[in-house]
Amino acid sequence: MKNTVTEDSFEASNEEIETVPVAKAEAIESTAPNPSVESEIRSIMAALLGIPPDNMDEHRSLEDYGMDSVLALQLLHHLQARISSEIGMNDLNKCHTLQDVISLSLNPMHPEHERKLVPDTP
């Protein structure tokens, strides 16, 4: 029997309905593909690397494109200004491909990109 919703009633089958914790649902939502962010990141990186955006393979190593520490710093500046101020250099250093940068930008606080907090020294 299908789940049916009407104005007057709600019928549900005997099938179990999976519930998802709010935090997990938010994490799923925040990592969902976002074409505008992906396009923006692709454009930023292509401009920094001096290649057409369409020529970038999202699974190719950034080093293969000539990404170095200077370009990484420039990329970080653009990402913080245009995508998310939550992104840090330590996070960006963990990215090896365009897809990694996109994933980080869509969810900078994801546990995979978790930052280690350094206690203040007196």
Side-chain angles (χ1 to χ4, degrees), residues 35-55:
S36 63
V37 170
E38 292 178 23
S39 176
E40 180 75 10
I41 293 168
R42 182 180 294 272
S43 295
I44 292 168
M45 291 187 66
L48 288 172
L49 297 168
I51 60 175
D54 293 339
N55 288 359

Side-chain angles (χ1 to χ4, degrees), residues 90-114:
N90 287 338
D91 302 317
L92 190 57
N93 283 336
K94 295 176 187 175
C95 296
H96 301 286
T97 65
L98 171 60
Q99 183 58 50
D100 292 342
V101 176
I102 291 168
S103 176
L104 170 66
S105 299
L106 290 174
N107 194 4
M109 296 305 287
H110 189 275
E112 181 179 319
H113 307 293
E114 186 176 319

Side-chain angles (χ1 to χ4, degrees), residues 59-111:
H59 301 290
R60 186 174 172 191
S61 168
L62 296 176
E63 289 180 359
D64 290 349
Y65 286 113
M67 181 66 75
D68 60 18
S69 59
V70 173
L71 289 174
L73 204 56
Q74 292 174 346
L75 175 60
L76 178 65
H77 171 75
H78 287 287
L79 292 175
Q80 288 176 336
R82 295 162 66 178
I83 306 293
S84 172
S85 62
E86 296 293 321
I87 299 170
M89 185 52 100
N90 287 338
D91 302 317
L92 190 57
N93 283 336
K94 295 176 187 175
C95 296
H96 301 286
T97 65
L98 171 60
Q99 183 58 50
D100 292 342
V101 176
I102 291 168
S103 176
L104 170 66
S105 299
L106 290 174
N107 194 4
M109 296 305 287
H110 189 275

